[in-house]
Amino acid sequence: IKMASRKKCLILGLTVFLWLGLYAQNVNQNETCRLLRKFNLTGYVEAENHTVVIGGLFPVHYRTMPTSDSDEEIESPMCEGFNFRGFRWMKTMIHTIKEINERKDILPEHTLGYQIFDNCFSTTKAMESALVFLTGQEEYKPNYKNSTGKYLVAIIGAGGSTMSVAVSRILQSYSVLQVGYASSSSILSDISKFPNTFRTIPSDKYQSEAIVNLIIHFGWVWVGAIATDDDYGKHGVKLFREKMERSHLCVAFSETIPKVYSNEKMQIAVNEVKKSTAKVIVLYATDIHLSPFVLEVVHHNITDKTWIASEAWITSALIAKPEYFPYFGGTIGFAIPRSVIPGLKEFLYDIHPSKDPNDLLTIEFWQTAFNCTWPNSSVSYNVDHRVNMTGKEDRLYAMSDQLCTGEEKLEDLKNTYLDTSQLRITNNVKQAVYLIAYAMDRLSKADITEEYRENVVCPIIPDFESGELWNYFRNIKFTTHDGRKIETDFFGDIVRGYYDILNWHMDNAGNIAFVKVGEYKFTTSKYELVLPKNSTLFWKTESYRLPDSVCTKVCSPGTRRKNRPGQPLCCFDCIPCEDGYVSEKPGQRLCDPCGEDNWSNPQKNKCVPKLVEFLAYEEALGYALVILSIFGALVALAVTVVYVIHRHTPLAKANDQELSFLIQMSLVITVLSSILFIGKPYNWTCMARQVTLALGFCLCLSSILGKTISLFFAYRISKSKTRLISMHPIFRKLIVLICVVGEIGVCTAYLMLKPPRMVKNIEPQNVKIIFECNEGSIEFLCSIFAFDVLLALLCFLTTFVARKLPDNYYEGKCITFGMLVFFIVWISFVPAYLSTKGKFKVAVEIFAILASSYGLLGCIFLPKCFIILLRPKRNTDETVGGRVPTVDRSIQLASTSVSSELNTTVSTVLDE
C-alpha cells in the first residue's frame, strides 16, 4: 500500500473507531474500547486548578516523517523541520492565557487552562489532535472532557485552511467551537457547512478583492496566478479569477504547486511562468508549500517577474531571505496589520531546556537554534531540508557532536522566534484567545442579544457544553490592547479591518525589509485602497520602474480594440477608427462618433469642427464673381448714362426709350443680385436672392417683351403685305406692369407660405458642413422662374418674326441674339447645377446669372452704344430708316420698297 493510501486508511480508521465506540457503548455498557497505541503528539498542557481548558493547534514543525512500510501495524508519524514561527505562535497563546488569568475585568471568578498540540503542518496530525481533544487517549468515548479532565471550551487553530477544514468537520459533530488565527479560506464562511468556525483573520474574499484593486491601480491587465493545491490556494485563486473577470482583466495562466513534492507538477508551473508574457504573478500559497517553488525559481534564474504575495508568505522568514532577493525583490502584497504585544518579547526570552527536562519542544528549539545537542537528550533535529533540482529529497538528520552548555545566549540569535518586529499572525493568535475569553465573559454575565434570549438557557461555568457558547460568539465586539476594534458578524468573520501593503526592499545590512507602502481598508460594503503618491515603491525591473504586464499593449488614441477569436479579452489587435469616429483615451473598446458639427482629425484621436463650406467673399472665386457683378452693374449704368446724355438722338429714342431704361435698370438689379449668393447664407439672404433675381429678370424680360410685341404688331402685314400696324406706348408699359405685379404676387405667396431658409448640409462621411439655402417650396420656385422662361420664350418668338423690320433694325436682330444667348446659358446651367455640390453649385448659378445678363446687355445695347459714341453720323433719321408712325398713323409701303429700303439701310451700316 502506498504511503498516501496508508494515511487515508489511518484517518478512516480513526473515524470508524469513534462511531464504533458509540455503538459499543449503546450495546453493552460493560464493554469498553481503548486505543492500542497513543498518538505521537507533543505540546504543552496546563489544566490543574483552572476552570476550563482551551485547546490549541500550531505548526511547530513543517511536516511529518514517512511512516513505516510495514503492513502489520500503523504508526502515527513523527514530525520534522522545526518551525520557529509556529513555536512563537504557540508561546503567544500561553502568554495570552496567563495575561487573561491575571486580569480582573474578564472572567474574574474563573481561570483558563490550555492544552496545545503541534499539528506539524499536517492534516493527519491535526485530525489526531482533534480526536485527542474529544476523547483523550485514556477515554473510551467522546465527551467534552479531554484527557486533562477539564471542560474543553474551544480550540484555537489549526493553522492553515485545509487543516482547519478537516478539524472542523470532526469538532462540529460534538459542537466544539473552533477559532482560526490563520485560516482565511472563504469556504469557512459557509455557516451551513462550518457552523462552529470563527476567525480573527479576514476572509480571503477581502484579500482577493484587495489584490484585484491593486492590479487595477497599477494598470496591470495580464496577470498569472499560482496557488497551493489545497483549500487555501484553490479557493483563493477561484475568488481571484472571478473578481478579475468582473473587472474585465485577464488571468494569463493559473497553475498549482503540489503539497507533496512532485517534480513533474513543479516543472509545469515553472515552465508556465517562464514562457508566459505576464510580468506580474500572484502567489496564493503558504510559505511552507511555497518554499520548493522558490528554489525552482532560483534554479531557473527567473528574474523578470514581479510577484504579488498573499498574507500567508509576505513576511515569512522562510521565503524572505537575502539570497532570494534577486528573484523576489520588489514583491508587493498584503499582510495582517502589525502590532506590538506588551510583555511578549520578555516571555519569549524566558525559555531554557533546563527548566523542564520533559519539554521536548524547548529542547529541540535549543538544539536547532544553537546547532548543538542537549546533554542526555534523544531529540533529533533537522539541520536542512530541501528538494534538489533532480527531484530527490535531501534530508539531513543529525545529532550534533557539539554539546549544548546551557550558557548559549538567546540575544545572539537572529531567527523568527525572537523577531517581534513583524507580529501579525502572532497578534491574531492573541485576539483568538481574547475572542474566546470575551465570549465566556458574556456567557457568565448572560450578555446575549434579544433575538437569541428566548431560546437560550443561561449556562453556568464550568457546567456548560461547548455548543452553548455559540450564540455568545456571534456579533461580538471588543477593543484590543493596541486600540483596534474587533467585530465579528453572524457568520463568525471579521467585518471591518485593513491590510498593510508591503513591498520588499533591501536594507543597509543586506536583509530584506518589509516596507509599508499603503493600506487596504475594508468593511462588509466598502473597500478602499490607500497608496500615497510619495510611497517608496521598489520594483525589481531593469529600469526599476513600474512593470508593464499586458498581453497586448494598450491601443493608442485613434485606434480601437478588436478581440482575437479564441483568445482572452486582453489579447487583441489595434485597428484605426473609421472616418467620423475617434478614440480619445488609450485602450478604448469602441470608437466614439463625432457630433454632427464635428469630424475626426487625421489621427482619429480628436473630434474637430468640420470645415464650413460656402462661397466666401475672401476666396478667389468669390472675389472674382463680386468684381464681375460690380463691373456688370457699372457697365449697365454706363449704358444708361449714354442713353440719358443722347436721349434726344434717333437711335436712343427708337422703339420706346422708357423701356430701354427699364431694361438697363433691371440688368443692374440682376447682376447685383448675384452678390446675395456670395458669403455665408442667412435666412434673409436666402429669401432675398431668388426673389430679387426673379423680379429682376421679370422686369427685364417683360420690358423686352413690350419692345418685341410692338415690333411684331408693327410688322404684321396684312394679307396683301402692304400695311404696317403700330402700337400705343401705354400698352407696352401696361404689359410690363402686369407681368411684374403678377411676379410680385407669386413671390409674396412664396415668402409667406414656404420661404427659403439657411440649412447645414451635413452628409454622412463628409468632412464638411455646407452652408446653403433650402429653397423651401420647389413648386413656388419653379413657378416663379417658369414665368420668366415664358416671357423669354415670347420675347424670342416675337422678335424673331419682326427681326427684318426697317425701323430699329438693330434692336430686332440684337434682341433675337440676346434671347438666344439667354436660352443657351440657362439650358447649359441646368445639368451643370445638378451635377455640382457646395459652393461650386452656387458659383454655377452666379455664372449663369452674369452670363445671361452680360449677354442681354451686350447683344441689345452694345451695337447702339457703338453707333451713338463712335459713329454719331449714323445716328440720324435717315440712317435709322423708315420711322414707324405714331398711334393711328398708317404707312402704306409696297413690299418692294420695304425690301429695297431695308437692304439699303443694312448695306450702309455694314459698309461703315
Side-chain angles (χ1 to χ4, degrees), residues 501-535:
I501 303 177
L502 303 183
N503 186 220
W504 282 16
H505 292 223
M506 181 70 76
D507 60 18
N508 295 330
N511 298 318
I512 292 180
F514 308 119
V515 178
K516 181 178 178 180
V517 294
E519 290 182 348
Y520 182 80
K521 301 177 182 179
F522 62 86
T523 62
T524 53
S525 59
K526 182 180 179 182
Y527 310 94
E528 182 183 6
L529 184 69
V530 181
L531 271 171
K533 293 183 178 180
N534 58 352
S535 297

Side-chain angles (χ1 to χ4, degrees), residues 98-168:
K98 292 181 179 295
E99 180 183 292
I100 293 174
N101 288 338
E102 294 175 359
R103 295 180 60 166
K104 301 301 181 182
D105 57 333
I106 303 177
L107 297 172
E109 299 178 358
H110 306 283
T111 58
L112 304 176
Y114 56 83
Q115 185 175 25
I116 307 174
F117 292 119
D118 172 21
N119 61 25
C120 304
F121 205 74
S122 164
T123 303
T124 303
K125 279 294 181 183
M127 294 183 69
E128 290 178 3
S129 302
L131 292 173
V132 171
F133 283 132
L134 291 174
T135 66
Q137 293 190 19
E138 305 299 331
E139 298 291 331
Y140 68 93
K141 62 181 180 180
N143 57 31
Y144 298 104
K145 290 183 180 181
N146 60 1
S147 58
T148 64
K150 301 293 182 180
Y151 282 95
L152 180 67
V153 176
I155 293 176
I156 295 176
S161 297
T162 300
M163 293 181 292
S164 293
V165 168
V167 170
S168 178

Side-chain angles (χ1 to χ4, degrees), residues 176-287:
V176 176
L177 303 182
Q178 179 184 14
V179 181
Y181 54 88
S183 306
S184 59
S185 177
S186 59
I187 63 172
L188 292 171
S189 298
D190 190 345
I191 194 173
S192 63
K193 296 180 179 178
F194 305 98
N196 63 318
T197 301
F198 302 85
R199 293 183 280 191
T200 57
I201 186 173
S203 171
D204 278 338
K205 68 179 182 180
Y206 298 115
Q207 183 172 203
S208 299
E209 188 79 34
I211 293 175
V212 173
N213 285 338
L214 184 74
I215 290 171
I216 294 173
H217 175 81
F218 289 119
W220 300 324
V221 297
W222 186 242
V223 180
I226 291 180
T228 314
D229 189 15
D230 58 9
D231 292 316
Y232 173 73
K234 289 188 294 185
H235 289 278
V237 165
K238 178 184 177 182
L239 286 174
F240 168 71
R241 291 176 63 92
E242 292 173 353
K243 296 182 186 298
M244 288 282 284
E245 290 177 3
R246 286 199 295 268
S247 301
H248 304 292
L249 303 176
C250 301
V251 178
F253 63 89
S254 181
E255 295 292 337
T256 58
I257 51 179
K259 291 174 60 177
V260 179
Y261 185 84
S262 168
N263 185 59
E264 180 182 357
K265 294 181 179 179
M266 191 66 73
Q267 294 306 317
I268 292 175
V270 172
N271 290 335
E272 193 67 45
V273 172
K274 291 176 63 178
K275 73 179 184 180
S276 177
T277 57
K279 298 299 181 181
V280 178
I281 300 173
V282 175
L283 280 177
Y284 230 111
T286 59
D287 56 348

Side-chain angles (χ1 to χ4, degrees), residues 40-42 58-67 76-83 117-122 124-126 128-129 361 364 379-382 395 397:
N40 293 319
L41 301 178
T42 55
F58 297 95
V60 182
H61 290 85
Y62 288 129
R63 58 200 154 264
T64 57
M65 297 180 183
T67 57
S76 178
M78 300 293 291
C79 299
E80 62 176 352
F82 196 83
N83 182 7
F117 292 119
D118 172 21
N119 61 25
C120 304
F121 205 74
S122 164
T124 303
K125 279 294 181 183
E128 290 178 3
S129 302
L361 291 179
E364 187 175 359
V379 177
S380 61
Y381 62 94
N382 180 241
R395 286 188 177 88
Y397 308 105

